[in-house]
Amino acid sequence: MNRRTFLTTALVGTGALALGVNLYHPPQVRVSASLDQSHRLLFSLLVPVFLDGALPHTQSLRVAAQNRTLDAIVATMDLLPEESRDELEQLLELLESRLGLLLLTGNMTPLLMRQPQELAAMLEAWRTSFLDLMVTAYQGLRELVLASYYSCPEHWTRLNYEKPRLFN
């Protein structure tokens, strides 16, 4: 076998392996795209990481705040300009595919199977990346989550913020 044949075989084999891994979804991480069109599952993993320390400590209040934030994220995404929404959708679809995860994080493990510390480390790596694209992806997701969380008036009390009264 000559070197060219070896390299071609290795390249084709690697490509086939990457494609197969991308298409294979174990049953425990299979998500129906028709049931999760708004990427709620993905954001349910990212919201606690971005809002670490801001969410209530009581479990029922924490879940309610996360669900309210997920609803606000969907509403915020609907208000984005079409170009921005398309870019965000591309990022979210990459994060939901294993090949996209490999490209973005260097790891094919689905985000659903990662610990919160691993997600925080992934986002910190994006934040401090030398690639502007990764920093922009981090900032876009962070701003979306924080803006959606603090757009809910019930979350203002944690900031000691009171809505101004115009008429008494």
Side-chain angles (χ1 to χ4, degrees), residues 13-64:
T14 303
L17 182 62
L19 181 63
V21 169
N22 189 42
L23 295 177
Y24 174 72
H25 298 284
Q28 68 270 19
V29 295
R30 185 173 299 151
V31 176
S32 175
S34 63
L35 297 176
D36 192 31
Q37 292 177 347
S38 57
H39 308 282
R40 288 180 71 93
L41 181 59
L42 176 63
F43 279 113
S44 70
L45 300 171
L46 297 176
V47 163
V49 175
F50 279 118
L51 296 175
D52 187 31
L55 291 171
H57 296 292
T58 307
Q59 186 64 24
S60 61
L61 296 175
R62 184 180 185 91
V63 170

Side-chain angles (χ1 to χ4, degrees), residues 49-167:
V49 175
F50 279 118
L51 296 175
D52 187 31
L55 291 171
H57 296 292
T58 307
Q59 186 64 24
S60 61
L61 296 175
R62 184 180 185 91
V63 170
Q66 288 177 350
N67 286 334
R68 180 76 170 105
T69 304
L70 293 174
D71 292 339
I73 287 172
V74 172
T76 304
M77 287 179 61
D78 288 341
L79 297 175
L80 290 174
E82 186 174 336
E83 184 177 304
S84 299
R85 187 176 37 230
D86 290 345
E87 289 177 358
L88 183 61
E89 285 286 337
Q90 287 175 347
L91 174 63
L92 297 174
E93 288 173 9
L94 281 174
L95 286 173
E96 290 176 342
S97 75
R98 297 182 88 183
L99 188 57
L101 276 175
L102 180 63
L103 292 172
L104 293 173
T105 67
N107 188 342
M108 295 178 80
T109 304
L111 296 181
L112 189 61
M113 299 177 73
R114 296 187 191 185
Q115 297 295 318
Q117 299 84 6
E118 294 172 313
L119 293 173
M122 176 194 83
L123 293 171
E124 181 64 21
W126 285 15
R127 188 181 73 81
T128 60
S129 175
F130 66 92
L131 295 173
D132 289 341
L133 186 65
M134 302 303 283
V135 174
T136 303
Y138 170 81
Q139 290 173 340
L141 287 175
R142 181 178 180 274
E143 293 298 320
L144 177 64
V145 170
L146 292 180
S148 298
Y149 178 76
Y150 287 113
S151 69
C152 304
E154 62 266 23
H155 300 151
W156 295 349
T157 56
R158 295 187 61 89
L159 296 172
N160 292 325
Y161 177 77
E162 186 174 324
K163 182 179 177 180
R165 295 180 187 178
L166 299 176
F167 305 103

